[in-house]
Amino acid sequence: MTGYGKASATFGDKKINVEIKSLNSKAMDLSTRIAPLYREKEIEIRNMVSKSLERGKVDFSLWIEKEASTSAAQINIALAQSYDQQMQKLSEALGWGNYPNEYSMATLLRMPDIMSKDEIIELSEEEWEVVRQVVEEAIAHLVDFRKQEGAALEKKFNEKIDNIERLLKSIEPYETKIRERITDALEKTICVDYDKNRLEQELIYYIEKLDINEEKQRLSNHLNYFRETMASGHGQGKKLGFIAQEM
């Protein structure tokens, strides 16, 4: 069943986001995109999703947003000073004589490791607890979405079942009329001698072919079984499909 869920929370200077989408599928087909810091928890995250959703084609995304002031790369000033001194010596050794110039700053900023970002390399238990709660919240939103869709489908199915039930009852008068028409037609048209025993046997055979009481009873049972299966809980799609085919 289709569904969508999203949740977010703040931890320090980060905004932790989780988004889950699901489409119909007979089995669980889960694909994940997880921020590098949280990949060590991928198995646990997968278990949380699979336990709650059971099946479906599911796309799971977990990413981080940071404030611009904290996410911007920092200039390694000490290393820049070291590069500057070496470039000054190089300029003097080669006799360039015009260092620094308008290109010096651009050259300096392209030197290895001048721009650096401080990244947390270990996930704390406190942060993981926040992430876990965000994952659970996103899953809960998706489950609510699916429940709403399921309730709408259940209402539509019940309307169709009720309609079939009304139509089933409406055919009863026609069965009686068919028998009466056969009898009346025979009485009016047969004016010659005939084997009454043979005719009676043929009539019984024909009327038995017209008798659909067994089919009516089976259909009625299937209608009730369909309702009971819908009310029994989730994960009954295959069973409902089989009952519908029998109906």
Side-chain angles (χ1 to χ4, degrees):
M1 189 172 292
T2 57
Y4 177 81
K6 185 175 182 180
S8 61
T10 302
F11 183 83
D13 60 357
K14 306 174 186 176
K15 183 180 180 182
I16 302 168
N17 301 285
V18 173
E19 183 181 68
I20 312 178
K21 303 174 185 177
S22 73
L23 297 173
N24 293 329
S25 180
K26 293 181 179 180
M28 172 56 72
D29 180 9
L30 174 60
S31 60
T32 61
R33 292 183 295 276
I34 301 175
L37 178 60
Y38 309 127
R39 283 178 186 161
E40 63 182 87
K41 298 292 186 179
E42 181 173 357
I43 294 177
E44 189 169 344
I45 291 172
R46 282 180 168 272
N47 289 337
M48 292 169 65
V49 175
S50 299
K51 182 179 179 181
S52 299
L53 303 185
E54 293 190 14
R55 66 187 185 187
K57 182 174 175 55
V58 182
D59 289 323
F60 177 94
S61 299
L62 169 57
W63 74 97
I64 300 171
E65 296 177 34
K66 287 189 176 181
E67 296 179 5
S69 59
T70 59
S71 61
Q74 304 296 312
I75 298 175
N76 190 328
I77 296 177
L79 185 59
Q81 290 173 337
S82 176
Y83 279 135
D84 181 61
Q85 293 171 4
Q86 294 180 59
M87 290 171 68
Q88 180 69 46
K89 292 178 181 179
L90 179 63
S91 178
E92 293 173 357
L94 296 178
W96 289 346
N98 61 342
Y99 182 85
N101 55 41
E102 58 181 308
Y103 303 110
S104 301
M105 181 62 71
T107 303
L108 192 61
L109 292 175
R110 288 198 296 268
M111 299 301 287
D113 300 324
I114 283 293
M115 308 297 290
S116 63
K117 293 178 69 174
D118 296 328
E119 294 286 350
I120 298 175
I121 58 175
E122 291 186 0
L123 176 63
S124 67
E125 286 298 323
E126 183 181 3
E127 183 172 354
W128 165 240
E129 180 59 26
V130 173
V131 174
R132 188 183 62 78
Q133 291 176 4
V134 176
V135 172
E136 289 181 345
E137 184 180 349
I139 292 173
H141 289 326
L142 186 144
V143 170
D144 289 341
F145 192 107
R146 292 172 109 181
K147 284 181 178 179
Q148 292 174 10
E149 184 181 358
L153 284 172
E154 183 180 15
K155 180 180 178 181
K156 181 60 66 175
F157 283 148
N158 278 321
E159 289 176 0
K160 299 298 183 183
I161 293 296
D162 292 342
N163 190 43
I164 293 172
E165 208 163 44
R166 284 193 297 270
L167 291 171
L168 180 59
K169 293 177 181 178
S170 71
I171 68 172
E172 292 179 2
Y174 295 99
E175 296 178 82
T176 304
K177 288 181 180 179
I178 290 173
R179 291 187 178 89
E180 291 175 351
R181 286 173 60 186
I182 292 173
T183 304
D184 291 343
L186 287 172
E187 290 178 352
K188 293 177 182 178
T189 59
I190 297 179
C191 301
V192 296
D193 293 335
Y194 58 89
D195 187 338
K196 293 185 178 180
N197 291 331
R198 179 61 185 273
L199 177 61
E200 185 177 343
Q201 291 175 3
E202 293 292 340
L203 286 176
I204 291 173
Y205 175 79
Y206 184 66
I207 291 174
E208 282 179 349
K209 289 295 183 182
L210 292 175
D211 186 4
I212 57 170
N213 284 323
E214 181 181 349
E215 286 75 11
K216 286 162 56 183
Q217 184 60 50
R218 291 181 65 236
L219 178 54
S220 180
N221 291 340
H222 289 323
L223 296 177
N224 292 330
Y225 194 27
F226 195 96
R227 288 195 184 99
E228 293 171 3
T229 303
M230 276 200 300
S232 66
H234 58 284
Q236 301 290 344
K238 290 182 179 179
K239 194 172 184 179
L240 289 174
F242 173 76
I243 300 170
Q245 186 176 17
E246 290 297 300
M247 288 160 55

